[in-house]
Amino acid sequence: MRQRDGSPEDATLISKLLILFLCVSALMVAGCCTTATHEGMTPTTFETGAKNQKTVGVDVGGGKELDELGRTRISNEEFKKALLAAITKSGTFSRTVEGKEGDYLLSVMIFSMEQPVFGLSFTVKMEAGWTLKRVATGETVWQESIKSEHTATTGDAFIGATRLRLATEGAGRKNISQGLAKISKLSL
Amino acid sequence: MLKKLGYFLLLGVSLTVTAGCANRATGTLTAGVDLGKLKTFYVVQAPDDKRNTYQLIKENLEKRGFGATTGPELKPPYQSDAVVTYADKWMWDITMYMLELTIIFRDPKTDFPLATGNSLHASLTRKPPADMVDEVLTNIFNAKPAK
């Protein structure tokens, strides 16, 4: 019988397989380089109460597209687009306006994002400070810190970067959903 | 064999270049908040804190001349001027090191964030945990109101 163990061909094959395994593993577990989109952060269903006839302007801060490790973050622009779309869809306010032109100004400050660096299931935790002010008087009518989290698994996306984006968008989507649900219960 | 080593070297260099020396230090202050009014802090010990980060935060605040106590999360209102919460992320690269630290000062009655600071140092720019805490708290106390 011919002994093949330890031949140069085997060593080459093993090293190629090892590199392939490393590349696939890196793709699977690491997340980087995609930005959370407003489409992914716009809720499709709402638990809102009464519909309000007032108008609102929206301001978002504290966000960024990517962090220093190249991980997905939520940019101010994308979160604002998602929030505006959600307000329109849910009817929480009659319509949205630019800046301080409306009856109310809703400011959302993204204070923290907890994201994993590696893993199979990615859980992203987010905290945003929501403040609703009456424009005419500058009075703060409601202020609350809203915490949300979302987990994306390999069943949602095999590639780590996509999985992290989905988890981040999910956390943003739930934050918007919870915030609007609370606003809809206010007597404005 | 040399070729194989070359691949690993390339992979290692790529990872180091893309992530190894990343770092960030930020601080954000909520509009209208005056941190100068805060004299006492209650540091909430995170349930999963196995490395006593809460103690480092308490000691650093005391070093800055503030009154600081620690304990578990309580139901507001807290008997202090601000509540401090934090999230620390650790990584392994030869030894364990603190990759990222976020500290938030909160209103003792409403839990609303007053200020937040964050530092991230990847492996090549790693800092001891006490230095990370010092950097984040310095960022918070030097923070400008959010726009």
Side-chain angles (χ1 to χ4, degrees), chain B:
Chain B
M1 189 64 185
L2 275 176
K3 202 172 174 183
K4 192 165 89 175
L5 275 175
Y7 281 130
F8 282 116
L9 192 62
L10 189 67
L11 189 68
V13 169
S14 305
L15 284 173
T16 304
V17 168
T18 54
C21 49
N23 64 77
R24 170 184 69 226
T26 61
T28 310
L29 191 65
T30 299
V33 170
D34 179 7
L35 292 184
K37 290 180 180 168
L38 307 180
K39 303 292 178 211
T40 58
F41 293 87
Y42 180 84
V43 183
V44 177
Q45 183 182 356
D48 55 352
D49 184 352
K50 295 181 183 118
R51 296 184 175 85
N52 295 338
T53 305
Y54 72 98
Q55 196 63 31
L56 295 175
I57 297 171
K58 176 185 179 283
E59 286 167 8
N60 193 290
L61 287 167
E62 285 172 339
K63 210 186 297 177
R64 291 167 191 265
F66 298 109
T69 51
T70 66
E73 187 176 3
L74 305 171
K75 199 176 174 187
Y78 288 85
Q79 302 302 313
S80 60
D81 296 335
V83 176
V84 181
T85 61
Y86 60 95
D88 52 347
K89 196 176 289 295
W90 293 72
M91 286 285 281
W92 185 89
D93 186 1
I94 310 298
T95 59
M96 289 300 288
Y97 69 97
M98 189 187 274
L99 172 71
E100 188 174 11
L101 176 67
T102 303
I103 296 177
I104 301 179
F105 288 0
R106 297 174 183 279
D107 186 292
K109 294 184 185 78
T110 65
D111 200 42
F112 194 83
L114 304 171
T116 179
N118 172 279
S119 275
L120 181 148
H121 286 275
S123 183
L124 293 183
T125 59
R126 67 175 71 180
K127 286 186 168 194
D131 290 1
M132 288 283 279
V133 167
D134 188 63
E135 185 175 82
V136 176
L137 288 175
T138 301
N139 290 338
I140 291 177
F141 286 112
N142 291 337
K144 302 277 184 291
K147 288 176 183 171

Side-chain angles (χ1 to χ4, degrees), chain A residues 67-135:
Chain A
D67 76 1
E68 286 66 18
L69 292 178
R71 293 178 297 182
T72 295
R73 297 299 285 252
I74 295 175
S75 73
N76 294 335
E77 295 73 24
E78 290 298 305
F79 193 83
K80 185 176 176 178
K81 280 184 193 172
L83 182 53
L84 288 171
I87 289 171
T88 305
K89 274 188 186 177
S90 65
T92 312
F93 289 91
S94 65
R95 94 191 143 86
T96 58
V97 295
E98 274 302 311
K100 295 180 178 177
E101 299 295 315
D103 299 311
Y104 290 91
L105 177 65
L106 175 61
S107 304
V108 179
M109 175 63 64
I110 300 169
F111 277 107
S112 69
M113 296 280 299
E114 279 183 51
Q115 295 174 305
V117 180
F118 294 102
L120 293 176
S121 284
F122 283 170
T123 297
V124 172
K125 295 179 182 177
M126 171 184 178
E127 178 172 6
W130 289 56
T131 305
L132 185 66
K133 285 187 175 183
R134 193 170 283 123
V135 172

Side-chain angles (χ1 to χ4, degrees), chain A residues 127-153:
Chain A
E127 178 172 6
W130 289 56
T131 305
L132 185 66
K133 285 187 175 183
R134 193 170 283 123
V135 172
T137 60
E139 174 202 2
T140 299
V141 295
W142 172 73
Q143 188 172 61
E144 197 166 322
S145 169
I146 294 186
K147 295 171 187 170
S148 57
E149 67 175 77
H150 187 78
T151 301
T153 64

Side-chain angles (χ1 to χ4, degrees), chain A residues 37-50:
Chain A
T37 63
H38 67 274
E39 292 94 343
M41 289 187 285
T42 306
T44 49
T45 55
F46 299 91
E47 292 174 34
T48 53

